[in-house]
Amino acid sequence: MGRRGSFVMFVVIVLTLLFAIVPMSMAQLRQDFYADVCPNVESIVRDTVTKKFRQTFVTVPATLRLFFHDCFVQGCDASVMIGSDGSNTVEKDHPDNLSLAGDGFDTVIKAKAAVDAVPECRNKVSCADILVMATRDVISLARGPSYAVELGRKDGLVSRASDVEGKLPKPSFNLNQLNAMFAANGLSQTDMIALSAAHTVGFSHCSKLANRIYNFSRTNPVDPTLNPTYASRLQEMCPRDVDPRIAINMDPNTPTRFDNMYFKNLQQGMGLFTSDQVLFSDTRSRPTVKVWAHSGQTFYTAFVTAMTKLGRVGVKTGSDGNIRTDCGAFNP
């Protein structure tokens, strides 16, 4: 074989190895995926999300949380949006998803309707991609970073509540548990810490933190990693006999702004969940918290990287999925 033949063979081997390393679904995602079939899709989605945001700020955390819960179960395929039909209990009806706020679902449904109202776009854009775009837009509207998103996902063909079990992080998780769950989705500890900062917006319910402020352990009824003043404030907002549906802000300082206050709060012992505060109390993750508490821009860069990687998890392409006409139901 001549020198030219050897070179060609080398290139073929390298390309083969690259395709073996990079999943085909990821390779098919690209920022201009809809350029030829629905060139204005991003502005259509953004306009709809902006209208929804002006109606209620809950749009921000609800959409962001919906995206996360979708991607961690069966991948980013909008399977979490499917409604039960009597013959199948779906993802959204699993106990871990019952607290997903309706505003997230409503945001995607309205954006899908706006996209499909444009004749050239009708039935061309997946609910999974609309959720990705809407998530980016709510973060930007909350004064967080804006970034380009990769598109080209199909909607999933399966949604089962049983698939949710053990796939979503619990408020009581320690660092090892968090790292293991995120690593199972191809995400590093740095990605995990960045994505945890989604708790800089939104709210939780008193029932999720009752153990931390009343029954942490025999020797410490209150979690000792909690700032004492903050713990007292939480007890005032969440007395023992409180309605478990009562909601409190995840970030007590800037709850409607997507910023790095989350990390500053952790430094003060003001992480709402054990899984939040452990990021500062564990020496393995503390340095990252300190850096991002000091530099919001550094955090934004890491967050965009993590969100891009999250958006590649379990992506469906080709015959593995389709484009739903109704985000809440499988196509007939």
Side-chain angles (χ1 to χ4, degrees):
M1 183 183 293
R3 183 175 298 177
R4 178 180 173 82
S6 298
F7 177 75
V8 171
M9 181 60 69
F10 172 75
V11 171
V12 170
I13 292 173
V14 170
L15 289 175
T16 301
L17 289 172
L18 282 174
F19 280 113
I21 294 170
V22 180
M24 286 301 294
S25 59
M26 186 190 302
Q28 292 177 19
L29 294 180
R30 63 179 193 271
Q31 293 175 16
D32 63 347
F33 186 83
Y34 295 106
D36 295 330
V37 296
C38 186
N40 296 323
V41 62
E42 295 205 40
S43 61
I44 297 170
V45 172
R46 187 176 299 111
D47 288 346
T48 304
V49 174
T50 301
K51 290 177 184 176
K52 179 70 178 175
F53 170 78
R54 288 171 178 165
Q55 293 170 357
T56 173
F57 181 82
V58 176
T59 301
V60 177
T63 305
L64 181 51
R65 190 160 177 250
L66 185 66
F67 173 61
F68 181 84
H69 280 231
D70 181 46
C71 291
F72 259 45
V73 181
Q74 294 288 348
C76 307
D77 63 354
S79 55
V80 73
M81 297 195 66
I82 294 294
S84 293
D85 61 6
S87 62
N88 174 43
T89 303
V90 293
E91 288 178 31
K92 69 186 292 188
D93 290 334
H94 185 277
D96 288 351
N97 281 331
L98 293 179
S99 61
L100 290 171
D103 286 291
F105 295 91
D106 189 50
T107 298
V108 178
I109 290 168
K110 286 182 175 176
K112 170 71 169 172
V115 170
D116 283 351
V118 179
E120 65 179 322
C121 300
R122 186 170 298 130
N123 299 329
K124 301 288 180 59
V125 183
S126 68
C127 300
D129 276 346
I130 288 174
L131 177 54
V132 169
M133 288 182 272
T135 301
R136 181 269 312 275
D137 293 338
V138 296
I139 291 168
S140 177
L141 287 165
R143 293 184 285 178
S146 186
Y147 51 94
V149 291
E150 298 174 335
L151 303 170
R153 300 163 189 79
K154 291 285 186 69
D155 296 321
L157 305 175
V158 176
S159 182
R160 295 181 297 250
S162 58
D163 291 330
V164 180
E165 196 63 36
K167 298 291 180 61
L168 296 169
K170 304 287 188 184
S172 59
F173 270 14
N174 60 35
L175 191 69
N176 288 340
Q177 291 170 310
L178 289 169
N179 279 337
M181 183 165 285
F182 279 72
N185 290 286
L187 299 163
S188 67
Q189 175 175 288
T190 301
D191 298 324
M192 179 273 292
I193 299 171
L195 293 171
S196 295
H199 288 173
T200 193
V201 292
F203 56 88
S204 185
H205 298 92
C206 290
S207 58
K208 296 292 186 181
L209 61 130
N211 283 345
R212 284 196 81 197
I213 57 178
Y214 293 117
N215 303 299
F216 186 71
S217 70
R218 287 184 179 180
T219 54
N220 293 297
V222 177
D223 186 343
T225 64
L226 266 175
N227 179 303
T229 302
Y230 184 50
S232 297
R233 197 186 322 165
L234 291 175
Q235 289 175 335
E236 290 175 4
M237 293 186 287
C238 296
R240 289 181 182 272
D241 59 350
V242 70
D243 185 332
R245 295 170 296 181
I246 295 296
I248 58 173
N249 289 326
M250 296 290 294
D251 178 351
N253 290 313
T254 57
T256 61
R257 181 167 183 170
F258 194 95
D259 55 16
N260 67 332
M261 182 60 71
Y262 173 80
F263 301 107
K264 296 178 181 180
N265 289 337
L266 296 185
Q267 290 181 311
Q268 301 302 316
M270 294 166 63
L272 191 64
F273 294 156
T274 300
S275 57
D276 293 313
Q277 194 57 49
V278 73
L279 302 182
F280 185 73
S281 58
D282 195 302
T283 55
R284 293 171 293 171
S285 47
R286 185 183 299 161
T288 303
V289 171
K290 287 183 174 181
V291 170
W292 292 347
H294 177 72
S295 173
Q297 193 56 54
T298 304
F299 157 57
Y300 282 166
T301 299
F303 181 78
V304 169
T305 297
M307 285 293 281
T308 302
K309 290 173 66 175
L310 176 60
R312 295 170 178 165
V313 174
V315 167
K316 312 294 189 298
T317 59
S319 60
D320 290 335
N322 60 19
I323 295 176
R324 286 185 217 137
T325 56
D326 176 355
C327 291
F330 295 121
N331 291 346

